[in-house]
Each structure stands twice: as structure tokens, then as C-alpha cells.
């Protein structure tokens, strides 16, 4: 596992996809983005009220299987419903997915990233460890938390391995291993867990069925673990002609394919719809039957999968790609705030001028972010983002096409999880 020098680097940088290596690129991307450690964490073994850094000594580096926090007071979710805006916390296969929420019991589960990397929860303002195992890709489905094990280049796993998939039942504290191998990435839906595994340098997609309690391999190439209803997000590919320079570049006689679009498709069927002619679009997400994505560093698009209507927003600042929506506002990692109703755009300046937001999350009420130093290797810490408005200091600067960008009205500061 290599260290990361940026949180949101996309792993696929070429148009060409090998039949045998196309899906592996997705794995490399996920691993490259997800394998970040905090080498400058503060030292403190005490964990009370707010999740704090831990001193990871030699003995503490060894992590064995343990059950989690038990809470018999929890209400059980009767029916699964779409998570709405919370689904935007999951950006296809590239982001860490450091947070999920039990909306029935109003409990946030999150990875204590940049600290000990364990799963914590916030209930009624109290922060406490829920699962003392390093994790990523958190999903709350039904009444359980699903996650992947990750060493973050810190921990030694005992009788476990990186990429194991687990299920945590907060009501009983029980933790069950779902997949004993090493998954590269996973996504969780009502019917099961979709995950990818590298087999002989090729990526294979599997589905663990909640109804059957077992996994099956999905015999189809170029599919993502990301879905909408019964459809998969996939790459449409075309075979590269034998006289193409790519054969000389890669020095291979094997058949090459080039990704030409991002599509929606059913298993065993041709694509039913092209989502983007650019197969390498930046972060995308699906929530409330809408497809959200950055088509480039200055264009954000919302495409309605039902009505086929599309709204395009020209951004007045370049953005790295991560975004979240809360209370009718689009927040981008620049940090740029855009009113989705009026189109007005405002810069949110950091109180600490060197601070940068790498990934954005929400619980439906607040903003959270993976926050670190601007321009450094720093891997960041998951924190609450508080935005302060000072309308008397606001002014506007005119940008291209007569559009105005508001400055100085908003500032953000970051505070530890559980502190408001």
C-alpha cells in the first residue's frame, strides 16, 4: 500500500482499457485514494467525549477480531427507503466513504480518520468507539453497518486481511465477517453487497445476496459496483483497431479496448442509456433518481434519470471533483457554495488559510469534511465544518460572461467530531 500525496487523485489517466486490466485500473484507483495514513498524528491514549488521536505503539498495532459496541435501546428500521441526500456521501468507487447514518435512531457512524481509523458513533451528542477495527467504505443498510477492513499502513491484522468485508449489528454488538478474501471496493444496496476482487490480474465483480446469505460471481466485464435500481453503471468499450498506436505503446498482442462512454445497463443487455460521452468523468453520485457529476473542473451537472431533464451549472472556480448537497446548496471542495435555485455562487474562505477540504460528507443536517493542509502531503482528519456568515464584509467580483462571484460573506472553520 503506497502513501497518497493527494486525497482526490483519479487513478485512470488513459483512455485505453485492457480487457484484462480495465477493471484493475478501478482497483488501483480505489487503493491509491484509500491508502492514506497520518504520520503526524498527535499522541493521546485517552478517548472521551470527542474522538482524539491515539498513540499507536507496537502492541496497539496488532488488531484482532472484536465485537462492537452494544446498544439494546435502538429502534429497528421497519422498511428500507432511499437515503436521499445521504446517498451523495458515496461517490462511485473512488472516495473513502467515511460516514453513514442510522436515520431512525439519529446516529452517525464514521471512521476516525487521521486518528485511530476505528469506527465511532455520535448519539445524542456523545462520541464513542463503536468498532475497534480500522475501516473504510461505511454503509448503513436496514439496521446494520457494513464496512471494509483497511490497515492504513499502520496496523497488523491478526487472522484477518485488508479488504475483508464485515457486518456490524449495533443492537447486539455482534460483528460478522461477510467476505474472507481481499475486496478492492464495495457498495451496499437493499439486495446485497457488490464488491470486486482481483483474480489473476483481472477484476471480478461479485454480489453477496442478503436473502441467500452467499456470494455469486457476476459474469460480465466493465461493470461498476455502483448501481441505480436494477441497472449498473458501466463503461462502454470499443475494440481498438490493430493499426492503432496503442498497440505499439503497450507492446502487446492482446486485444485492446477503449472506453468511449459511461452508461447505464442491465446484466446481459446492451446499454439502455449513455450517461456521459466522457468515460473518465470526475466524481459522480446518484440520489433521489438523479445523476450528479462533474463533467470537468468547471461544470457540474444534475441529470434526472426519470424525466431525462438536465441542469448544467458553470462554476466560477475550478474544483477537484468532490461535492455534497445540503439544504438546496451545492458545496464543492474548492470550497465553493452554489445556490441550486438562483445559481448564485460564493467562495467560502477557510479561517485557517492553509486548510483544505478533500472529501465532503453530510448527515442531512451538517457538513463534514476530510480536512488537511493545503499543498502538503497531509492526509487530513475527518471533522465537522462550521460556516460563519458575515454579510457586512461581502462583495462581488465580476467573472466571465458577466457572472459575479461573491467573496468574503462566508468563512468555514473545522472542529472535532461531536463538537458543535
Amino acid at each position: 500500500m503506497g502513501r497518497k500525496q493527494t486525497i482526490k487523485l483519479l487513478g485512470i489517466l488513459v483512455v485505453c482499457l485492457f480487457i484484462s486490466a480495465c477493471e484493475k485500473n478501478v482497483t488501483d484507483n480505489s487503493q491509491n485514494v484509500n491508502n492514506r495514513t497520518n504520520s503526524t498524528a498527535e499522541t493521546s491514549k485517552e478517548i472521551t467525549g470527542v474522538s482524539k488521536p491515539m498513540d499507536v505503539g507496537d502492541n496497539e498495532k496488532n488488531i484482532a477480531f472484536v465485537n462492537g459496541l452494544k446498544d439494546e435501546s435502538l429502534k429497528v428500521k421497519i422498511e428500507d427507503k432511499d437515503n436521499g441526500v445521504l446517498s451523495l456521501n458515496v461517490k462511485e468507487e473512488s472516495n473513502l466513504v467515511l460516514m453513514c447514518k442510522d436515520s431512525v435512531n439519529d446516529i452517525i457512524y464514521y471512521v476516525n480518520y487521521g486518528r485511530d481509523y476505528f469506527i465511532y458513533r455520535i448519539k445524542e451528542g456523545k462520541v464513542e468507539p463503536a468498532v475497534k477495527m480500522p475501516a473504510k467504505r461505511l454503509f448503513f443498510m436496514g439496521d446494520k453497518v457494513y464496512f471494509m477492513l483497511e490497515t492504513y499502513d499502520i496496523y497488523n491484522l491478526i487472522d484477518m486481511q485488508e479488504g475483508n468485508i464485515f457486518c456490524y449489528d449495533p443492537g447486539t454488538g455482534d460483528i460478522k465477517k461477510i467476505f474472507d478474501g481481499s475486496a478492492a471496493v464495495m457498495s451496499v444496496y437493499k439486495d446485497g453487497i457488490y464488491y470486486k476482487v482481483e483474480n489473476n490480474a483481472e477484476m471480478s465483480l461479485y454480489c453477496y445476496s442478503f436473502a441467500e446469505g452467499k456470494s455469486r460471481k457476476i459474469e460480465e466485464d466493465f461493470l461498476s459496483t455502483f448501481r441505480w435500481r436494477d441497472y449498473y453503471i458501466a463503461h462502454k468499450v470499443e475494440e481498438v483497431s490493430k493499426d492503432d498506436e496503442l498497440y505499439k505503446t503497450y507492446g502487446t498482442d492482446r486485444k485492446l479496448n477503449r472506453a468511449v462512454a459511461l452508461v447505464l445497463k442491465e446484466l446481459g443487455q446492451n446499454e439502455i442509456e449513455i450517461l456521459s460521452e466522457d468515460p473518465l468523468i470526475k466524481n459522480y453520485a446518484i440520489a433521489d433518481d438523479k445523476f450528479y457529476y462533474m463533467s470537468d473542473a468547471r461544470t457540474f451537472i444534475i441529470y434526472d434519470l426519470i424525466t431525462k431533464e438536465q441542469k448544467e451549472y458553470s462554476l466560477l472556480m475550478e474544483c477537484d471533483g468532490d461535492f455534497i448537497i445540503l439544504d438546496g446548496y451545492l458545496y464543492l471542495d474548492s470550497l465553493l457554495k452554489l445556490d441550486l435555485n438562483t445559481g448564485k455562487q460564493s467562495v467560502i474562505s477557510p479561517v485557517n488559510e492553509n486548510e483544505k477540504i478533500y472529501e465532503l460528507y453530510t448527515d442531512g443536517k451538517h457538513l463534514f469534511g476530510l480536512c488537511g493542509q493545503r499543498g502538503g502531503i497531509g492526509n487530513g482528519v475527518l471533522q465537522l465544518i462550521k460556516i460563519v456568515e458575515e454579510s457586512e464584509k461581502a462583495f462581488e467580483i465580476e467573472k466571465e460572461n458577466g457572472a459575479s462571484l461573491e467573496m468574503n460573506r462566508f468563512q468555514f472553520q473545522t472542529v472535532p467530531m461531536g463538537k458543535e
Side-chain angles (χ1 to χ4, degrees), residues 65 133 144-149 163-169 174-183 186-188 192-195 206-210 213-216:
F65 182 92
M133 297 161 68
K144 296 177 177 62
V145 178
Y146 297 88
F147 65 94
M148 290 176 62
L149 205 61
N164 284 172
I165 297 175
F166 290 90
C167 170
Y168 162 53
D169 186 336
D174 293 339
I175 296 179
K176 174 185 176 183
K177 185 183 290 185
I178 299 292
F179 177 60
D180 194 39
S182 182
M186 78 165 187
S187 299
V188 181
I193 303 170
Y194 292 78
Y195 60 97
Y206 292 82
C207 174
Y208 173 85
S209 168
F210 290 142
K214 60 182 181 180
S215 293
R216 62 179 175 85

Side-chain angles (χ1 to χ4, degrees), residues 221-243:
D221 295 323
F222 310 117
L223 297 180
S224 167
T225 61
F226 211 70
R227 292 174 51 203
W228 174 64
R229 298 189 177 185
D230 293 329
Y231 305 103
Y232 290 80
I233 308 296
H235 281 102
K236 179 180 180 180
V237 299
E238 293 179 353
E239 186 175 346
V240 177
S241 63
K242 286 296 183 180
D243 59 353

Side-chain angles (χ1 to χ4, degrees), residues 79-139:
E79 179 184 358
D80 279 328
K81 295 182 179 180
D82 291 335
N83 286 325
V85 69
L86 298 182
S87 298
L88 294 176
N89 287 327
V90 184
K91 309 300 190 311
E92 39 97 15
E93 296 180 337
S94 68
N95 72 330
L96 290 162
V97 193
L98 298 175
M99 178 180 293
C100 63
K101 184 178 181 180
D102 174 357
S103 298
V104 172
N105 294 285
D106 195 23
I107 298 175
I108 296 171
Y109 294 93
Y110 70 93
V111 175
N112 191 22
Y113 194 95
R115 310 297 196 186
D116 57 15
Y117 300 91
F118 295 162
I119 299 176
Y120 282 64
R121 77 170 193 176
I122 304 175
K123 180 184 179 183
E124 298 174 351
K126 181 182 179 181
V127 177
E128 55 190 333
V131 178
K132 294 183 179 181
M133 297 161 68
K136 66 179 180 182
R137 302 289 292 187
L138 268 59
F139 293 83

Side-chain angles (χ1 to χ4, degrees), residues 247-373:
Y247 279 96
K248 295 180 181 178
T249 301
Y250 288 98
T252 180
D253 293 329
R254 302 186 67 179
K255 183 171 69 174
L256 296 179
N257 289 273
R258 178 183 286 114
V260 296
L262 197 67
V263 301
L264 205 59
K265 73 186 302 291
E266 291 182 276
L267 285 179
Q269 305 294 323
N270 293 326
E271 71 273 4
I272 63 164
E273 185 171 0
I274 293 179
L275 297 173
S276 174
E277 297 286 356
D278 180 0
L280 304 179
I281 61 172
K282 293 188 177 182
N283 284 356
Y284 58 81
I286 294 178
D288 295 328
D289 296 322
K290 293 181 176 64
F291 184 67
Y292 299 83
Y293 68 101
M294 296 283 297
S295 64
D296 56 56
R298 282 181 173 255
T299 307
F300 185 80
I301 292 176
I302 302 177
Y303 176 65
D304 193 310
L305 294 164
I306 303 297
T307 67
K308 312 306 178 187
E309 295 177 343
Q310 179 169 296
K311 292 183 180 180
E312 183 173 311
Y313 298 88
S314 296
L315 307 178
L316 300 178
M317 289 177 57
E318 288 193 359
C319 301
D320 292 335
D322 202 27
F323 60 87
I324 205 72
I325 292 175
L326 180 64
D327 296 332
Y329 292 95
L330 169 70
Y331 295 89
L332 297 119
D333 53 11
S334 29
L335 248 164
L336 182 68
K337 179 180 180 180
L338 186 153
D339 188 320
L340 292 173
N341 294 315
T342 67
K344 186 172 184 177
Q345 300 182 43
S346 304
V347 173
I348 307 176
S349 304
V351 172
N352 177 357
E353 64 180 15
N354 291 321
E355 195 161 30
K356 178 176 173 57
I357 308 298
Y358 292 100
E359 290 189 359
L360 287 162
Y361 297 92
T362 185
D363 64 346
K365 300 176 183 178
H366 307 92
L367 275 178
F368 301 88
L370 184 54
C371 312
Q373 293 298 305

